[in-house]
Amino acid sequence: MFKSPLILCSLLFFIHFTALPQKAARLIKKGKFDKAEAHCLSQIAENKNKDARSARPNNIPQESKRITPHHYLSKVYEIKGNIAAAQKEIVIADSIHDIFKQLYYYSKKPAIISVRQGVCDPNYHSNNAQMVKRRERLLSLIDLHMQIGEMDEAKDLIAAYQSLYSTEIYGGKNTYTSRIAYSILGQYYFLNNQYDSSLLFYEKYIIALRSSPRHIDDNVKKLGDAYTGLSKCYLKLGDLPNALLAAQHAEKYEKHQFTRKTNGKNYLSVIKSYNLIAEIYRQQHDYHKALSWNTRAYDLYNSQIIIDSPDKLELLETRGKLFWVANDTTQANACFDEISTIFIQYIKRNFTFLSESEREYFYRSNKHYIELVKSYYHYLYFEKGYKDSYILDNFYYAHINSKGVLLTASSKLVEKIFQSKDSALINQYIQLQALKESRSRAYKSGQTEILTAIDKSISQIERTLLSELNIEIEQTISSNQILASLKDSTQLIDILRISKYNISKNTDSIPVLKENVENKYVYFISSADRSKFNLVDNPLNQEQLEKKYYKGYLNEAKFNIKNNQSYTAYFSPFEQYISTNTVIFSADGIYNLINPVLLYDGSKYLIDKYYIYSISQASDLLTISNNDTYIHDFTLVGWPDFSTHFSFYGESPVDLPGTGIEIAAIEKIIPPSIFHYSYVQKNANEISVKALPSTSLLHFATHGYFEVSKLKDAMYTSGLILAISDSSKELNDGYLSAYEASNLHLENTFLVVMSACETGQGETESGEGVWGLQRSFQVAGVKYVVMSLFKVSDEVTAQLMLEFYKNIFKGQDIPNAFRNAQLSIKNRFDKADYWGAFIIKGY
């Protein structure tokens, strides 16, 4: 048949070349994502080996073979939920694309489009398939930006897309590239909770798709996705009939013969459309239809997708709620256990790549899944009375692996950088600190227009640092590991604030799952023999504990009222399970603003009954070292000259001469072997503090400030008041915010004391402690933080601090040195707020 062996060899080479890149696409279509990933990685390694063997340009593999493995690897990572890795592969693919443009197609005309935008010149038609893929990569990049909260960057890319793929460029034709902009704008506004705007763009998208005479063949998949977006908008707006109608249209198009011919290409979309119908029926309380549609989605997922992708979370959420309301505990347990496993893996995997701001958005956008799991187990344990170890262990597993994850991830970056002792990484971190300082100045001065650009630079450096550090994904933690970490005769009280769900019957006597009925506090208390946890529910709700009883607690301390009202509300619900006198207290919610030793049980304060140690989260017990670092130096900052504020603000904070006496007294008892540095009056300014090297002990004696405002960032509305340097008033305003404090050089500091009013205050968040000064020093890696929870006496505070440091210099460990100082002040003064205003975190 072939007359020339050369033609035959060329054809075989062509078949081999074209088949390999498309293998990944076929594997993805069939749901074989692990094999697709392995194939892409193998191709990338093969290309690198060829580069190593030859540096001649004519031996470089062709464009598609270079780009395709990165393109499809990005798709696999996105499906698996590894967002940062997906973004990285998209950018690599586009970088290669630009290299080939310059090498082969733009020898006379330089490339004009940004690699970061991932778009190409519409006049560049060298490889139509690669142009289509590049357009897909831009759309994926926009989607990934939105998933991690980079809305400004996503909006910029949408604008670039609209500009480059506008109808004007294509002669006014209603092209796919111009129509798709409606879809991404619909998604953008949906994620910004602007559902009416999102609805409008999805409707425009549908009209545009239907206007194409070939929409049945070309646009059927896009119509399915458009109707899915439309249905979700209606669902959020509470319009269930229209939501159902749109979802049914979506399902019809997703199942169309055209999509069935794509060899499984549309599995995930079909699954999502099935489950969307199921969720709408569930909310309409038509559980039979809901379960039927959900089961179709569930079976298709398990037969075709196989991997535990985050796309499965929505499916399991609907399924779990259906079995929950049907009282099918066996099936519901399986769903919620799987949600817990997938969610925790999803979070831990992405946290090793995402920047701090991206982590915060990403976690808060998805945490409702794990909150649902905890609410379910709370219902089983307390409402149904299923108190077996299986329920308790799974409840604690969901709790311990999701508590404090943002705080832990932020503090770990600083720790790993300085542990590496890599000068290049440390220099990058110094650049990061300089950028954060610029952000603080811009925020304080109201230059909000430049914050987006600064935030982008901060995120890029943080991501670079994380990738170069190659931080391993954290292992999950079990209740047995926490129990085993406790010392003999020590008990843990691990507190959790949850949203309670209930099942009640509607007017038609149909059971309904009532969500977010109220917030409750529960307590995991380890047994004295460390063999198990006991679980206790507080009969009071969040509203009572965080308002009524918290006001009572403050009044008891302020006016020295000895009654057991606060004790009864906050401690007595679980005290019967405490049989030792050493207790570790891991707070949540309002408990972060309460000093447990200050509670009065009717006959004595808890400081007289227990040794109570406060920690941020129980997982810290697995890494905490109980050996205090050797004290080699001590830095004191206080008694600022507030007269500098007058010329800047027209008024000054109240002078604190007692803090000057406090610092002088502490200086006298510092052993000669310990170097110490003092910054007082005009020297106690922001510039001096920000330039401080890391020191073993750091003591602040000044005013603290805290502004309650849900509309502002708590890391900027709380902090310490310092003097203003004459040399740079425009850069340092005398207010060291919590955000700025988290940026200090404290890598070798293991104790920070804030001898000031309300330095422990801030905005509480379930599972994440307090956003304020106490968090800032924890993020900076400080082991122990001493802070006040309300206003304090200037004179008595000085005495408390003096006793505290005397105890430390005598060799007492820091927590006990602080407790003994409190007891000393308590014996001298009959006022609880004198000794109980301060709390220490660390163990």
Side-chain angles (χ1 to χ4, degrees):
M1 181 177 178
F2 292 101
K3 296 181 179 180
S4 168
L6 180 61
I7 296 175
L8 176 61
C9 290
S10 299
L11 181 61
L12 289 173
F13 174 79
F14 175 78
I15 293 171
H16 172 74
F17 170 73
T18 55
L20 279 178
Q22 299 308 316
K23 182 178 179 180
R26 293 197 301 273
L27 290 170
I28 290 172
K29 290 175 185 177
K30 293 178 180 179
K32 297 180 179 180
F33 303 110
D34 288 332
K35 288 185 178 180
E37 180 181 357
H39 175 73
C40 291
L41 292 171
S42 173
Q43 280 197 287
I44 292 168
E46 182 182 336
N47 288 336
K48 287 183 178 179
N49 288 336
K50 286 184 178 180
D51 288 347
R53 290 195 296 268
S54 175
R56 289 181 298 169
N58 59 352
N59 284 342
I60 296 176
Q62 292 186 31
E63 182 178 3
S64 62
K65 192 169 183 180
R66 278 284 177 151
I67 296 172
T68 299
H70 293 287
H71 177 88
Y72 286 116
L73 189 58
S74 173
K75 288 181 176 292
V76 171
Y77 284 147
E78 183 175 5
I79 291 169
K80 286 188 170 186
N82 196 336
I83 294 172
Q87 280 190 334
K88 178 182 177 182
E89 296 303 322
I90 288 175
V91 173
I92 291 173
D94 278 338
S95 299
I96 297 171
H97 189 96
D98 279 336
I99 290 170
F100 275 87
K101 278 201 306 183
Q102 293 173 28
L103 284 175
Y104 297 106
Y105 310 119
Y106 274 83
S107 57
K108 297 181 180 179
K109 179 181 175 183
I112 59 171
I113 305 300
S114 164
V115 171
R116 181 69 179 122
Q117 288 182 331
V119 294
C120 64
D121 184 347
N123 297 317
Y124 168 56
H125 297 295
S126 64
N127 186 334
N128 187 60
Q130 282 305 318
M131 286 184 66
V132 172
K133 286 179 182 177
R134 193 165 210 201
R135 189 174 59 213
E136 290 176 11
R137 288 195 294 273
L138 173 58
L139 296 174
S140 294
L141 192 59
I142 292 169
D143 178 57
L144 292 169
H145 279 309
M146 289 192 285
Q147 287 188 50
I148 56 178
E150 294 178 340
M151 294 302 177
D152 291 324
E153 188 157 312
K155 195 169 185 179
D156 289 343
L157 290 178
I158 292 170
Y161 182 93
Q162 288 178 297
S163 174
L164 288 162
Y165 295 116
S166 64
T167 54
E168 287 77 9
I169 290 177
Y170 291 90
K173 295 179 181 178
N174 182 18
T175 62
Y176 163 72
T177 48
S178 57
R179 293 192 301 267
I180 200 69
Y182 291 140
S183 172
I184 54 181
L185 283 167
Q187 184 184 5
Y188 173 83
Y189 285 112
F190 184 87
L191 292 174
N192 279 284
N193 302 321
Q194 298 177 38
Y195 304 119
D196 288 322
S197 296
S198 178
L199 196 70
L200 175 65
F201 278 105
Y202 278 123
E203 286 173 342
K204 285 184 175 183
Y205 186 39
I206 291 168
I207 292 169
L209 290 171
R210 286 185 170 280
S211 69
S212 169
R214 297 179 58 198
H215 78 269
I216 293 298
D217 292 327
D218 291 344
N219 297 334
V220 63
K221 167 69 172 65
K222 307 176 192 71
L223 277 165
D225 292 344
Y227 275 111
T228 295
L230 196 68
S231 178
K232 287 183 176 181
C233 288
Y234 281 126
L235 194 59
K236 286 290 186 180
L237 293 168
D239 187 345
L240 295 182
N242 275 323
L244 181 59
L245 186 63
Q248 288 169 337
H249 278 299
E251 186 269 338
K252 179 185 73 172
Y253 283 111
E254 300 290 9
K255 275 191 62 184
H256 192 274
Q257 183 180 7
F258 176 82
T259 57
R260 290 206 304 270
K261 287 181 178 178
T262 60
N263 195 21
K265 180 179 180 180
N266 204 28
Y267 279 139
L268 275 175
S269 295
V270 172
I271 289 166
K272 288 176 181 179
S273 70
Y274 288 170
N275 191 63
L276 182 57
I277 293 174
E279 177 59 24
I280 296 166
Y281 277 130
R282 187 193 72 80
Q283 292 192 28
Q284 290 181 332
H285 312 138
D286 190 340
Y287 301 128
H288 178 73
K289 288 182 180 178
L291 185 58
S292 174
W293 281 98
N294 176 265
T295 299
R296 290 171 70 182
Y298 186 74
D299 290 345
L300 185 58
Y301 191 101
N302 288 336
S303 65
Q304 301 298 334
I305 306 302
I306 304 170
I307 64 170
D308 286 337
S309 165
D311 285 311
K312 198 175 184 181
L313 289 171
E314 280 188 13
L315 177 64
L316 290 167
E317 179 183 14
T318 298
R319 191 169 184 80
K321 287 178 178 178
L322 286 169
F323 287 126
W324 185 349
V325 80
N327 200 27
D328 188 340
T329 306
T330 302
Q331 295 274 23
N333 285 354
C335 290
F336 289 114
D337 289 352
E338 195 169 0
I339 288 175
S340 185
T341 299
I342 294 174
F343 173 84
I344 291 166
Q345 290 175 348
Y346 188 32
I347 293 298
K348 290 180 181 292
R349 183 190 306 128
N350 280 285
F351 272 22
T352 60
F353 297 98
L354 297 177
S355 68
E356 186 172 13
S357 61
E358 292 166 351
R359 286 194 300 268
E360 289 177 19
Y361 179 89
F362 183 71
Y363 177 67
R364 288 174 182 144
S365 298
N366 291 282
K367 71 180 293 188
H368 66 278
Y369 291 115
I370 202 70
E371 296 302 318
L372 172 66
V373 171
K374 289 184 276 190
S375 300
Y376 170 71
Y377 287 124
H378 178 273
Y379 173 83
L380 287 188
Y381 197 88
F382 293 107
E383 301 294 328
K384 301 295 291 184
Y386 298 157
K387 299 184 185 267
D388 55 77
S389 59
Y390 170 84
I391 300 299
L392 192 59
D393 287 346
N394 285 349
F395 193 175
Y396 194 72
Y397 176 86
H399 162 64
I400 193 62
N401 286 290
S402 61
K403 186 175 183 180
V405 290
L406 294 175
L407 174 60
T408 300
S410 295
S411 58
K412 180 169 285 189
L413 174 62
V414 180
E415 177 188 346
K416 292 292 183 182
I417 287 170
F418 286 98
Q419 280 182 354
S420 72
K421 297 182 179 179
D422 185 320
S423 58
L425 289 179
I426 292 172
N427 286 334
Q428 283 188 68
Y429 180 67
I430 292 171
Q431 293 176 26
L432 177 64
Q433 288 179 307
L435 274 171
K436 287 186 173 182
E437 178 66 17
S438 298
R439 189 193 196 282
S440 180
R441 291 199 299 270
Y443 185 95
K444 286 182 173 183
S445 61
Q447 296 175 287
T448 55
E449 69 279 359
I450 66 172
L451 289 179
T452 299
I454 296 174
D455 287 341
K456 181 179 176 181
S457 298
I458 289 173
S459 290
Q460 286 175 345
I461 293 180
E462 285 180 343
R463 276 202 188 185
T464 302
L465 286 168
L466 286 165
S467 64
E468 292 180 10
L469 285 166
N470 197 24
I471 298 175
E472 293 183 0
I473 298 173
E474 285 189 2
Q475 298 298 310
T476 55
I477 303 167
S478 68
S479 57
N480 287 335
Q481 287 175 282
I482 297 297
L483 291 168
S485 69
L486 296 170
K487 295 180 180 178
D488 292 335
S489 303
T490 300
Q491 287 182 264
L492 169 67
I493 302 169
D494 200 350
I495 303 172
L496 165 65
R497 183 172 69 184
I498 68 154
S499 179
K500 185 178 178 181
Y501 286 45
N502 275 335
I503 294 179
S504 59
K505 294 195 174 179
N506 64 12
T507 54
D508 298 323
S509 298
I510 297 173
V512 176
L513 182 64
K514 295 288 186 181
E515 305 181 14
N516 305 316
V517 176
E518 61 181 357
N519 287 340
K520 297 278 291 182
Y521 280 87
V522 295
Y523 315 89
F524 291 93
I525 303 106
S526 64
S527 59
D529 63 359
R530 297 173 295 163
S531 63
K532 64 175 184 177
F533 277 107
N534 296 295
L535 186 59
V536 179
D537 190 37
N538 195 315
L540 301 172
N541 61 31
Q542 176 192 358
E543 183 80 8
Q544 293 168 310
L545 289 172
E546 297 185 3
K547 292 187 177 179
K548 174 184 174 181
Y549 286 96
Y550 181 60
K551 288 180 181 177
Y553 161 79
L554 293 176
N555 285 332
E556 286 173 22
K558 182 178 179 180
F559 299 108
N560 205 35
I561 301 170
K562 289 185 178 180
N563 68 41
N564 66 351
Q565 178 177 283
S566 296
Y567 161 83
T568 302
Y570 296 111
F571 205 85
S572 67
F574 55 81
E575 189 176 20
Q576 62 178 305
Y577 294 96
I578 302 175
S579 55
T580 62
N581 67 349
T582 304
V583 173
I584 298 173
F585 208 74
S586 177
D588 194 16
I590 195 63
Y591 279 87
N592 285 293
L593 305 180
I594 287 174
N595 191 350
V597 303
L598 191 54
L599 300 175
Y600 186 78
D601 70 359
S603 61
K604 60 177 67 174
Y605 289 100
L606 295 190
I607 194 172
D608 297 316
K609 295 175 66 175
Y610 303 106
Y611 290 82
I612 298 180
Y613 301 91
S614 292
I615 60 176
S616 296
Q617 56 262 348
S619 57
D620 289 346
L621 294 171
L622 302 179
T623 56
I624 283 175
S625 169
N626 290 313
N627 296 321
D628 290 335
T629 307
Y630 174 71
I631 301 172
H632 55 83
D633 57 0
F634 191 176
T635 300
L636 301 104
V637 179
W639 193 26
D641 179 6
F642 292 136
S643 66
T644 54
H645 284 248
F646 185 82
S647 58
F648 202 43
Y649 299 107
E651 59 181 358
S652 302
V654 177
D655 191 29
L656 295 172
T659 59
I661 297 171
E662 176 183 328
I663 288 178
I666 293 171
E667 284 183 302
K668 289 179 181 178
I669 64 167
I670 298 175
S673 59
I674 298 174
F675 294 102
H676 76 273
Y677 314 90
S678 296
Y679 297 84
V680 297
Q681 290 288 276
K682 289 187 177 182
N683 290 326
N685 59 64
E686 269 195 87
I687 290 181
S688 297
V689 169
K690 289 175 180 176
L692 288 176
S694 188
T695 179
S696 300
L697 308 181
L698 177 58
H699 181 95
F700 291 100
T702 182
H703 283 300
Y705 68 91
F706 169 60
E707 176 189 342
V708 180
S709 175
K710 292 290 183 182
L711 300 177
K712 295 182 180 179
D713 189 337
M715 296 297 283
Y716 285 98
T717 58
S718 58
L720 297 168
I721 305 178
L722 299 168
I724 299 174
S725 171
D726 291 333
S727 62
S728 188
K729 290 180 183 178
E730 70 280 2
L731 301 180
N732 296 274
D733 61 357
Y735 290 86
L736 181 75
S737 69
Y739 181 85
E740 291 172 302
S742 68
N743 203 32
L744 297 177
H745 294 274
L746 302 176
E747 59 273 11
N748 297 317
T749 301
F750 65 95
L751 170 65
V752 167
V753 175
M754 292 176 282
S755 180
C757 297
E758 301 181 313
T759 49
Q761 291 285 341
E763 185 178 325
T764 62
E765 178 181 358
S766 292
E768 283 298 323
V770 178
W771 292 85
L773 274 171
Q774 62 172 282
R775 184 184 189 86
S776 65
F777 289 113
Q778 289 170 323
V779 167
V782 177
K783 183 177 180 181
Y784 299 104
V785 181
V786 174
M787 56 211 155
S788 62
L789 297 175
F790 35 86
K791 294 189 181 298
V792 296
S793 164
D794 192 13
E795 180 183 345
V796 179
T797 295
Q799 295 183 46
L800 173 67
M801 296 304 165
L802 196 61
E803 289 295 325
F804 177 37
Y805 290 120
K806 282 180 180 178
N807 294 337
I808 291 176
F809 298 142
K810 288 177 184 176
Q812 296 179 21
D813 65 76
I814 287 175
N816 283 314
F818 186 74
R819 180 178 185 273
N820 291 333
Q822 286 180 305
L823 288 171
S824 176
I825 298 300
K826 180 175 176 290
N827 291 334
R828 294 185 215 171
F829 302 97
D830 188 25
K831 279 205 70 179
D833 62 330
Y834 280 5
W835 56 268
F838 284 88
I839 187 171
I840 183 169
K841 274 202 173 179
Y843 176 59

